[in-house]
Amino acid sequence: MDIAWVKKAFRTKRRRGGRTPAIAGRWASLAARLVNPLALGSLAVGLSACALFDFGPPGPDDYPVKGIDVSYYQEDINWRSVVADNTAFAWLKATEGGDWSDPKFAQNWYGAAMAGLPRGAYHFWYFCRPAMEQVSWFMQNVPYDPYALPPVLDIEWVDSKTCPGHPPREAIIPEVKTWLDAIERYYGKRPIIYTSISFYNDRLRGAFPGYFVWIASYKGHPVVRDPSLRWNFWQHTEAGRVAGIRGRVDRNVFNGSAREWRAFLEGRLNPDG
């Protein structure tokens, strides 16, 4: 369980006028003297528990650090307007497999930087290409920039006519490790792994400790869907709205405070907490 979430919810409950257990206890004591003490005592305990825990999981708005990820689908972007709309970071699609590059990548790469927005590049994994071919292709298309966000590997199940099937875990893990290691050596930053909850559980769980994990979960908070899941970024919608972008866009949050975000940018944050 996210303890910080529980503490925050408790503080919010108190600010909104929720009774503390001590106050609820005094009400229970008074009622117990008037009617059946055992029955009303149990009721008071139950009501106290409800008063304290009648909150749901945190929503995207509860996280202070928000960002987006984009590709050529978003067309031309006004990056200054994006920054002004409370956007703290952006990841830009750069490459896919070993022979496709996003036609808007260079424009987004330099446009976001000129607007002062922390941005990084992501690569979409293609299961039918050797890892080193995908490494080489990414390096050809993404400039080395020590101030960029860490590179991202986007790996998930997709329906592909050119690459059908679902490779087993034992075939995927060594190839992914090859890509991650080579990219870290070249760019000097440990890559982030982006994936879905289902793919993470099917193929990646336990394989890459020490890596930041970016989870796509549109149907609810990641921890609600999988209480054992460790995550650092949450892509909560693919239909968000942000100033400076005409259409819809993927929206994300960082699992941490503004101070922790600064530590992440400086390379001082431990992904495992």
Side-chain angles (χ1 to χ4, degrees):
M1 178 177 287
D2 189 336
I3 299 300
W5 159 32
V6 174
K7 289 179 179 177
K8 178 179 178 182
F10 179 64
R11 289 195 299 269
T12 301
K13 182 66 182 178
R14 294 192 66 177
R15 286 197 300 271
R16 293 175 180 170
R19 294 190 180 94
T20 64
I23 296 172
R26 288 197 292 273
W27 279 103
S29 177
L30 175 61
R33 288 196 296 269
L34 298 175
V35 198
N36 185 317
L38 290 178
L40 282 176
S42 299
L43 177 61
V45 171
L47 290 175
S48 285
C50 291
L52 180 59
F53 294 112
D54 62 345
F55 53 84
D61 289 341
D62 294 314
Y63 294 91
V65 182
K66 300 172 175 62
I68 60 174
D69 61 277
V70 303
S71 71
Y72 73 94
Y73 286 115
Q74 277 68 49
E75 300 180 344
D76 292 336
I77 297 173
N78 183 328
W79 285 104
R80 294 193 183 279
S81 294
V82 169
V83 172
D85 196 13
N86 192 30
T87 304
F89 63 88
W91 267 288
L92 325 171
K93 186 168 187 178
T95 53
E96 186 170 321
D99 58 5
W100 188 89
S101 60
D102 191 289
K104 291 288 186 182
F105 172 71
Q107 179 178 321
N108 288 331
W109 181 256
Y110 294 108
M114 289 294 292
L117 181 65
R119 69 358 176 188
Y122 76 88
H123 172 77
F124 191 86
W125 185 262
Y126 186 68
F127 291 98
C128 295
R129 282 272 193 172
M132 286 309 299
E133 287 186 15
Q134 301 193 54
V135 166
S136 176
W137 185 240
F138 187 82
M139 290 178 179
Q140 288 179 52
N141 286 277
V142 179
Y144 172 80
D145 180 353
Y147 301 105
L149 296 175
V152 171
L153 178 62
D154 177 342
I155 182 166
E156 53 191 295
W157 294 133
V158 294
D159 295 325
S160 173
K161 294 180 179 178
T162 60
C163 185
H166 289 180
R169 175 184 168 95
E170 55 269 23
I172 292 173
I173 298 304
E175 286 288 279
V176 169
K177 187 176 188 308
T178 295
W179 193 94
L180 295 172
D181 289 348
I183 294 297
E184 183 175 357
R185 284 194 300 270
Y186 183 78
Y187 291 97
K189 295 181 180 181
R190 175 161 286 190
I192 294 168
I193 299 171
Y194 167 97
T195 191
S196 65
I197 293 176
S198 61
F199 188 89
Y200 182 85
N201 286 327
D202 286 347
R203 296 294 188 267
L204 299 180
R205 183 178 284 275
F208 297 105
Y211 283 80
F212 286 94
V213 176
W214 178 6
I215 286 292
S217 178
Y218 307 145
K219 296 180 181 179
H221 191 284
V223 173
V224 171
R225 296 185 60 200
D226 183 348
S228 66
L229 186 66
R230 177 188 62 79
W231 63 278
N232 308 99
F233 294 87
W234 171 23
Q235 186 185 80
H236 56 86
T237 182
E238 57 185 350
R241 293 288 189 178
V242 173
I245 298 176
R246 284 193 292 271
R248 300 186 184 276
V249 64
D250 297 342
R251 300 201 65 176
N252 307 272
V253 296
F254 168 69
N255 188 15
S257 64
R259 184 180 63 180
E260 289 169 321
W261 175 246
R262 289 193 296 272
F264 171 80
L265 292 177
E266 295 167 3
R268 298 184 290 103
L269 192 67
N270 182 347
D272 297 319

